């Protein structure tokens, strides 16, 4: 199959979804315009920083335990197209809801060298579903 020239660059620099790559230590090595839009940090502010930049403090220990396990074993519960929904943190300290999937980066020896996450802000949808559930619960209580 012939892949059109420029396809990779076009996908990496799309402005809708965040594409964030890290090294084995969880330092950000790639931050696309979608990540800038969703999280509020310019690429120059994010690249070289820890993922703690966008992970709420109360979730960091759990995140890093899973991240280290993935780096050591080369496996993740969240690969193969599975979506994970988690809170994220923006530059102005707002919590948002994001869904993402990850891909493990590997070298020529198939050793894990980092990750790439494709993320989407689903805060609006999450709030709408929560409000609908609240209304349904109220309606159920009134019958």
């Amino acid at each position: 199959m012939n892949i059109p020239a420029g396809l990779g660059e076009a996908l990496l620099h799309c402005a809708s979804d965040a594409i964030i790559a890290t090294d084995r230590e969880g330092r950000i090595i790639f931050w696309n315009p979608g990540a800038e839009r969703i999280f509020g940090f310019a690429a120059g502010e994010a690249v070289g920083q820890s993922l703690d930049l966008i992970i709420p403090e109360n979730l960091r220990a759990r995140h890093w335990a899973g991240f280290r396990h993935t780096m050591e074993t080369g496996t993740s519960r969240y690969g193969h197209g599975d979506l994970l929904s988690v809170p994220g943190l923006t530059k102005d300290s707002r919590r948002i809801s994001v869904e993402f999937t990850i891909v493990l980066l590997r070298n020529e020896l198939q050793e894990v060298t980092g990750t790439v996450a494709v993320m989407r802000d689903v805060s609006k949808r999450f709030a709408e579903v929560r409000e609908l559930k609240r209304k349904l619960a109220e309606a159920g209580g009134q019958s």
Side-chain angles (χ1 to χ4, degrees):
M1 173 166 86
N2 285 339
I3 297 174
L7 177 64
E9 280 296 308
L11 288 172
L12 287 173
H13 291 88
C14 73
S16 59
D17 289 345
I19 301 175
I20 301 170
T22 70
D23 63 13
R24 281 188 64 85
E25 285 72 45
R27 281 187 307 269
I28 298 165
I29 59 173
F30 180 81
W31 185 267
N32 81 331
E36 290 185 8
R37 183 183 61 77
I38 291 171
F39 294 102
F41 295 97
E45 296 173 290
V47 172
Q49 299 297 313
S50 163
L51 280 172
D52 284 348
L53 189 69
I54 60 171
I55 300 170
E57 191 170 345
N58 65 319
L59 300 175
R60 290 176 186 166
R62 191 167 88 197
H63 163 80
W64 290 114
F67 188 92
R68 282 189 298 277
H69 179 267
T70 297
M71 291 301 107
E72 291 166 7
T73 65
T75 61
S76 170
R77 301 184 332 194
Y78 306 112
H80 313 294
D82 295 333
L83 284 177
L84 177 64
S85 298
V86 297
L89 196 59
T90 65
K91 183 176 181 176
D92 62 3
S93 300
R94 284 182 304 112
R95 283 176 74 117
I96 59 172
S97 297
V98 294
E99 286 182 344
F100 74 97
T101 187
I102 68 165
V103 176
L104 299 180
L105 298 174
R106 297 179 186 271
N107 63 17
E108 60 281 347
L109 300 175
Q110 294 305 302
E111 299 164 327
V112 178
T113 60
T115 65
V116 175
V118 178
M119 308 176 97
R120 178 167 291 163
D121 183 352
V122 294
S123 300
K124 183 178 177 185
R125 185 179 73 206
F126 187 78
E128 289 169 350
V129 168
R130 187 173 52 221
E131 179 64 14
L132 181 59
K133 285 180 180 178
R134 185 189 65 75
K135 287 180 180 179
L136 286 172
E138 284 177 1
Q142 294 175 357
S143 29

